[in-house]
Amino acid sequence: MASNFLTEFSSNSIILERVTNLNAQHIDLVHCPICCNILWKPVACNLCENSFCYQCIEKWLFEQQEQIIEYIDNDNENDYLIKSLSLTRCPFNCSPYKERKCSPLLTSILSKLTIECRNKLYGCQEILLYEQLEKHEEEFCQYKIIQCSGCKQDMFKSIFDKEHLLNCPYIELECKKCQSIFKRKDKHNKFDCMEQQICLLKQNIITCEQKSLKIFDIQRKKTDILDEKFAIIEEIYGHDNDTDDHDDQQTNKIINSIEMLTQLFSFQLIKIWQIMIAIGLIIFILLI
């Protein structure tokens, strides 16, 4: 059994005393065999169908794995294969452990529980349904203890939201114009802001120049390839006086098309669809 397995209670642990309407018949169904508290975001073992808090079973499996790896003989493959089977044993010795959703009955029972806010000790009198509890405690409870990211002081959420957040000199702020981060006590004047904006513009210009150079280098290589092909075609067809007028016309069409492509590649940043249309044009001319 897992009753002797020690685990740290997470901030979301719900002790039995916090539940105001717990039916004595349901205690065994809704308690976690690892932490012995009310199940929180439970999952079940596919083999024995026992349910555990998600965090509890994850911690259980991790600690079991750590313990077993210490005793594995690395030089013996069979030893590893045999012992590795127990790396996924559930607290009730099911192996391999496979996770599945809890039964609809358990989900229904949990959803009807009414639970005291964990901040009751600090003055919160709210009693909430199981599914409402997390949102209240994390986002809305005015008695939640918050540590200021600036001065590191602990205080109630109500005080932090209404007073401290707007006045603490050590809280970091971000300027929307220049994106610089500074503490409120250091302030941020217009001159500093403009100076930072100029630095950002310089960085953006450098980045754009680097991208442009890469693009133009690619286009230049494409142009060189087309020039080579153009030279080959001109060499083959340009000096052949025995060909008939039809062949001359066809050759001129090909040369003119390649020249058009060369201009496109040389003076514009060609999009993919433009390239495909140009290639299609050449194929169409060849088939005429």
Side-chain angles (χ1 to χ4, degrees):
M1 291 290 292
S3 58
N4 59 354
F5 178 75
L6 299 178
T7 182
E8 296 179 1
F9 293 162
S10 71
S11 58
N12 287 323
S13 292
I14 304 172
I15 59 175
L16 296 176
E17 288 75 13
R18 287 176 57 191
V19 183
T20 62
N21 64 339
L22 182 59
N23 190 322
Q25 297 178 345
H26 295 156
I27 291 179
D28 290 338
L29 287 175
V30 299
H31 99 287
C32 171
I34 298 177
C35 69
C36 298
N37 291 322
I38 299 297
L39 288 164
W40 183 248
K41 297 183 179 180
V43 293
C45 173
N46 192 50
L47 294 178
C48 65
E49 298 187 356
N50 285 291
S51 298
F52 318 96
C53 301
Y54 175 77
Q55 287 185 348
C56 289
I57 191 62
E58 287 293 305
K59 190 172 188 293
W60 164 274
L61 294 172
F62 179 76
E63 293 191 357
Q64 293 301 303
Q65 182 176 352
E66 278 190 326
Q67 293 173 12
I68 292 168
I69 286 176
E70 291 180 4
Y71 299 100
I72 288 178
D73 183 359
N74 294 326
D75 297 327
N76 187 341
E77 283 189 24
N78 291 329
D79 185 57
Y80 174 79
L81 292 172
I82 292 171
K83 291 182 178 178
S84 63
L85 291 174
S86 60
L87 295 180
T88 56
R89 288 182 183 274
C90 88
F92 293 87
N93 213 32
C94 299
S95 181
Y97 169 76
K98 289 185 179 180
E99 183 181 298
R100 71 167 180 80
K101 291 182 179 181
C102 294
S103 67
L105 174 62
L106 176 60
T107 303
S108 175
I109 294 173
L110 288 172
S111 68
K112 294 175 183 177
L113 295 180
T114 53
I115 304 165
E116 295 174 343
C117 174
R118 68 170 178 237
N119 297 315
K120 180 181 179 181
L121 180 65
Y122 303 116
C124 183
Q125 299 300 316
E126 293 288 339
I127 297 176
L128 305 110
L129 290 171
Y130 182 90
E131 294 176 352
Q132 299 172 339
L133 186 65
E134 183 177 30
K135 192 172 184 65
H136 166 78
E137 292 180 342
E138 295 300 324
E139 299 180 25
F140 300 119
C141 183
Q142 297 301 301
Y143 293 91
K144 178 183 178 181
I145 302 298
I146 292 178
Q147 185 181 75
C148 174
S149 60
C151 63
K152 307 302 180 184
Q153 291 184 20
D154 292 334
M155 63 198 73
F156 289 134
K157 185 178 185 299
S158 57
I159 297 174
F160 180 80
D161 290 345
K162 294 178 181 178
E163 302 174 15
H164 193 81
L165 181 62
L166 301 176
N167 299 304
C168 178
Y170 298 99
I171 285 181
E172 290 185 339
L173 306 174
E174 181 179 0
C175 176
K176 295 181 179 179
K177 293 182 179 179
C178 67
Q179 300 176 4
S180 60
I181 297 175
F182 57 95
K183 291 183 179 179
R184 181 179 279 120
K185 68 182 182 67
D186 297 332
K187 298 183 179 179
H188 183 62
N189 57 46
K190 293 181 179 180
F191 177 79
D192 293 334
C193 186
M194 290 180 66
E195 188 176 15
Q196 184 63 23
Q197 288 184 63
I198 291 171
C199 291
L200 286 174
L201 285 172
K202 288 180 179 179
Q203 292 175 1
N204 290 335
I205 290 172
I206 292 172
T207 302
C208 289
E209 286 179 349
Q210 291 173 346
K211 289 182 178 179
S212 298
L213 288 173
K214 288 182 180 178
I215 292 172
F216 282 118
D217 185 55
I218 293 171
Q219 300 298 349
R220 182 183 56 78
K221 290 179 180 178
K222 290 180 178 179
T223 302
D224 291 342
I225 293 172
L226 285 172
D227 285 340
E228 290 177 4
K229 292 182 177 180
F230 174 75
I232 293 171
I233 294 173
E234 192 174 41
E235 183 180 351
I236 294 173
Y237 295 102
H239 303 290
D240 189 355
N241 297 323
D242 298 331
T243 56
D244 57 17
D245 293 339
H246 180 270
D247 290 339
D248 288 340
Q249 291 176 359
Q250 188 176 20
T251 301
N252 289 333
K253 288 180 181 179
I254 295 171
I255 292 172
N256 291 333
S257 300
I258 293 176
E259 286 178 342
M260 289 172 60
L261 274 177
T262 303
Q263 292 175 0
L264 286 172
F265 280 117
S266 300
F267 301 106
Q268 299 179 17
L269 300 178
I270 305 301
K271 294 181 180 178
I272 294 176
W273 63 270
Q274 290 175 314
I275 298 173
M276 295 301 293
I277 290 174
I279 293 172
L281 179 62
I282 293 176
I283 294 172
F284 177 75
I285 293 170
L286 292 173
L287 293 175
I288 294 176

